[in-house]
Amino acid sequence: AISFGLDKRDNETILVFDLGGGTFDVSILEVGDGVFEVLATSGDTQLGGDNFDEKVGQWLIKRFLEKENIDLSDNPRAIARIKDAAEKAKIDLSILQSVRISLPFICNVGREAKHLEETLTREDFNKLTEDLVNRCREPISKAIDDAGLTISDLKENVLVGGSTRIPSIQDMVESFLGKKPNRSVNPDEVVALGAAIQAGVLSGRVSDVVLLDVTPLSLGVEVVGGIMETVIPRNTLVPTKKSKCFSTAADNQPAVDLHVLQGEREFVSDNKSLGMVRLNNIPPAPRGVPVIEVTFEIDSNGILSVTAKDKGTGQQQSVTIEGTSNLSNDEIDQMVKDAELNAEADSIAKDKINTFDKGNFYLQSGQKRLAELSPEEQTESRWIRFSKLMQNLENCLKEQDLLKCEKFIEEYERFSNDTNNTNNTDVDLDDYV
């Protein structure tokens, strides 16, 4: 994008389609007047030119088996030659309509040498690799959606990587985005050129270019139930600063340990741990009363600072984390893909944990309320019903009965609203830590 947009003076939104040998990446950027702002990224870590070679190689093995009744898949020397021939055929078919693949002496049967001779047309190649081309569509759509744009908002689409020379890839990009790809840059050289410019920026030799990046993964903290609460969402423009308020998870909790996390999954165990912040000397108070403001700040160098502040006393603790961007693109893409694949299951499990946590909180509050009743109040019908409700809630929590727990939580909330006895705070708490 830097190489392509260096001479752009008017702001343009561009999509960079990068299909290399082993991975596929899509980036959407705002480019203009020396400023490059990354709006969103997506990709597929298991898709690249090697997959196209493999399709051709498997086709050659299958054809030889049909003709000679010999399976070459267990012949390492033959496989090595087939891989080289498949890659060459793929490259040639970017220019030619058909290629002749000739591999003499591919194997021996007794004293007889066998030869592999096949003709592969571009049409047949397109059929073989159609599923791979279609796999490129989803990351494009996701990047556009993450950027909050539509296809019509894209001014240009730029092809990067040697595998974008494949005609079916170029045709797919053109049909999907509704405009011809920009071929003003050499797909094999453009990454090196852009990297050289960025190196100049970092060294101070280039002063008229600014690259504004985004957070590749969400950042957050662990809350009750082993759940990650996001503070800075994925694809947020950096530098950035965001805050959320939390509270204590237990009565008279003297300290909180903030576990800083990176990732897209709902649960702590599925995300990357970045560090800890401990805030001590919290004054004794019931659960949910202390207000702990947690602030995440990322500077232009990608360095994360996390601060926890007790709003009541003003005391605070902070930690600086420099390892938020040391994951490879493959690892980032895999974490995003895992989150998408497990989104429904994670959401169900998270809702279950939150329901039981709310039930336990209501049970503790309700039992405390009952203990504070006067002898006269204890004989009132509404408090007798409430006592029965607390018994039912306690039983369903012991049995881990989700449906019953949800029912009794609703009854508790109706009772609290009816008696106008709920505890409200002036601060919107996101969760308990």
Side-chain angles (χ1 to χ4, degrees):
I2 293 176
S3 176
F4 166 78
L6 192 61
D7 60 344
K8 301 293 180 184
R9 288 294 169 259
D10 296 327
N11 284 345
E12 294 183 1
T13 303
I14 68 170
L15 181 146
V16 179
F17 183 101
D18 183 357
L19 184 62
T23 60
F24 169 51
D25 297 288
V26 179
S27 300
I28 296 179
L29 303 95
E30 190 79 27
V31 177
D33 202 22
V35 177
F36 300 81
E37 179 180 339
V38 181
L39 303 180
T41 62
S42 187
D44 187 337
T45 61
Q46 306 300 319
L47 179 61
D50 293 344
N51 300 94
F52 289 79
D53 300 344
E54 185 178 354
K55 289 283 188 179
V56 176
Q58 292 298 323
W59 177 78
L60 290 172
I61 292 171
K62 181 181 178 182
R63 294 285 292 173
F64 193 79
L65 179 61
E66 292 171 350
K67 289 182 177 181
E68 303 289 348
N69 198 30
I70 298 173
D71 188 359
L72 296 176
S73 59
D74 294 328
N75 187 327
R77 183 173 296 181
I79 290 296
R81 294 181 65 192
I82 287 172
K83 283 184 177 180
D84 290 341
E87 182 181 15
K88 185 177 185 304
K90 175 193 70 176
I91 294 172
D92 291 344
L93 285 172
S94 297
I95 304 171
L96 307 174
Q97 291 298 320
S98 66
V99 293
R100 183 72 178 168
I101 302 171
S102 178
L103 295 174
F105 306 101
I106 192 67
C107 69
N108 294 317
V109 178
R111 292 176 175 269
E112 182 183 3
K114 296 291 183 178
H115 313 296
L116 189 156
E117 299 283 345
E118 291 292 344
T119 297
L120 179 61
T121 66
R122 182 184 290 181
E123 181 180 358
D124 289 336
F125 174 80
N126 290 344
K127 291 178 181 178
L128 288 173
T129 58
E130 183 178 9
D131 63 318
L132 301 178
V133 175
N134 288 332
R135 277 174 60 183
C136 296
R137 297 175 183 270
E138 185 177 346
I140 297 176
S141 297
K142 180 165 177 51
I144 293 173
D145 290 343
D146 287 349
L149 303 174
T150 63
I151 290 177
S152 61
D153 295 322
L154 301 176
K155 180 72 173 179
E156 299 278 2
N157 54 82
V158 183
L159 301 183
V160 177
S163 297
T164 59
R165 296 184 187 277
I166 298 173
S168 58
I169 289 291
Q170 298 176 359
D171 294 341
M172 184 279 295
V173 173
E174 181 177 347
S175 65
F176 192 85
L177 298 178
K179 55 176 65 69
K180 287 184 176 295
N182 187 300
R183 296 188 177 91
S184 63
V185 295
N186 185 320
D188 295 315
E189 299 175 355
V190 63
V191 173
L193 289 171
I197 297 168
Q198 179 65 0
V201 173
L202 295 174
S203 66
R205 298 183 182 182
V206 177
S207 58
D208 58 349
V209 173
V210 178
L211 176 62
L212 301 177
D213 208 349
V214 295
T215 55
L217 294 168
S218 299
L219 297 165
V221 296
E222 178 179 357
V223 296
V224 168
I227 295 170
M228 172 175 161
E229 175 71 24
T230 297
V231 178
I232 296 181
R234 174 175 174 262
N235 280 331
T236 298
L237 183 67
V238 293
T240 187
K241 182 178 182 179
K242 293 183 181 292
S243 298
K244 279 193 174 185
C245 289
F246 301 87
S247 190
T248 49
D251 292 341
N252 303 318
Q253 186 173 325
V256 294
D257 291 307
L258 287 173
H259 187 188
V260 183
L261 301 158
Q262 180 182 41
E264 299 305 309
R265 300 288 297 274
E266 297 283 5
F267 292 94
V268 171
S269 58
D270 299 314
N271 293 307
K272 181 185 178 185
S273 175
L274 296 179
M276 300 287 295
V277 182
R278 183 175 179 85
L279 182 62
N280 292 306
N281 301 319
I282 298 174
R287 161 183 164 149
V289 173
V291 178
I292 311 299
E293 183 183 52
V294 178
T295 302
F296 278 45
E297 183 173 7
I298 307 176
D299 66 15
S300 56
N301 295 315
I303 297 175
L304 170 66
S305 297
V306 180
T307 302
K309 180 179 180 180
D310 185 339
K311 298 281 281 186
T313 64
Q315 66 172 331
Q316 64 183 41
Q317 289 292 333
S318 61
V319 65
T320 300
I321 301 169
E322 300 186 20
T324 61
S325 59
N326 60 4
L327 290 172
S328 68
N329 287 336
D330 287 0
E331 290 173 315
I332 292 170
D333 290 342
Q334 190 60 51
M335 291 176 78
V336 173
K337 182 177 292 185
D338 288 345
E340 293 170 352
L341 291 174
N342 295 280
E344 184 176 356
D346 284 355
S347 179
I348 293 172
K350 177 184 178 182
D351 290 344
K352 183 177 180 180
I353 288 174
N354 285 337
T355 298
F356 288 137
D357 179 59
K358 181 185 284 188
N360 279 307
F361 178 58
Y362 284 172
L363 179 63
Q364 293 173 18
S365 300
Q367 289 174 338
K368 182 178 179 181
R369 184 182 302 184
L370 288 171
E372 294 172 348
L373 294 177
S374 67
E376 292 79 13
E377 288 176 319
Q378 292 176 13
T379 62
E380 294 179 11
S381 60
R382 61 171 180 158
W383 291 113
I384 293 174
R385 291 197 306 272
F386 185 74
S387 178
K388 180 62 176 177
L389 171 60
M390 289 298 96
Q391 291 175 15
N392 291 334
L393 181 56
E394 184 176 14
N395 289 335
C396 73
L397 287 170
K398 288 179 179 178
E399 298 167 0
Q400 293 287 284
D401 190 321
L402 181 63
L403 294 178
K404 286 185 178 179
C405 190
E406 291 174 340
K407 173 188 173 184
F408 295 134
I409 284 173
E410 290 178 4
E411 289 185 17
Y412 178 94
E413 290 173 343
R414 282 199 300 270
F415 181 89
S416 296
N417 290 331
D418 290 342
T419 57
N420 195 26
N421 219 7
T422 53
N423 293 320
N424 295 317
T425 66
D426 295 327
V427 181
D428 182 21
L429 298 177
D430 293 287
D431 218 314
Y432 304 98
V433 292

